[in-house]
Amino acid sequence: ADGYYQYMMSECVYSTSDYSDMVLLVSYSFNKVVDVQFNSTVGKCVGLTEFGVKQAEYFNKNQAYLQQLKAQVDTACRSNAQVLDSAVRDKA
């Protein structure tokens, strides 16, 4: 069972009902260690390990990719939060 474990996880974090504080966090991990994290508030990728710093530099050079991630706050996070929140409120 030797092998490598690589994954990306996206999280939408907020605490207000108008979603004005919505933040997208995208974490890139290898073998359960987070190497790089994108934070929509910061607007760029940050390396958390030696390898992650190199990856972050590569990602941050790609402005189209950063713009795509920033846009996901509206296209994915807010729209899904609104749908999910309304489903919960309607059931309460």
Side-chain angles (χ1 to χ4, degrees), residues 15-58:
S15 61
T16 60
S17 60
D18 66 354
Y19 313 114
S20 60
D21 64 341
M22 182 76 68
V23 177
L24 171 66
L25 301 173
V26 181
S27 301
Y28 300 88
S29 301
F30 182 74
N31 284 352
K32 299 182 183 180
V33 174
V34 178
D35 291 315
V36 179
Q37 188 172 61
F38 171 82
N39 181 321
S40 62
T41 303
V42 176
K44 66 179 185 176
C45 294
V46 176
L48 305 174
T49 64
E50 184 178 343
F51 177 64
V53 169
K54 293 175 185 175
Q55 284 185 302
E57 289 173 3
Y58 174 78

Side-chain angles (χ1 to χ4, degrees), residues 1-21:
D2 291 335
Y4 299 104
Y5 185 65
Q6 182 177 3
Y7 66 97
M8 180 184 84
M9 182 173 69
S10 298
E11 301 175 80
C12 300
V13 181
Y14 63 97
S15 61
T16 60
S17 60
D18 66 354
Y19 313 114
S20 60
D21 64 341

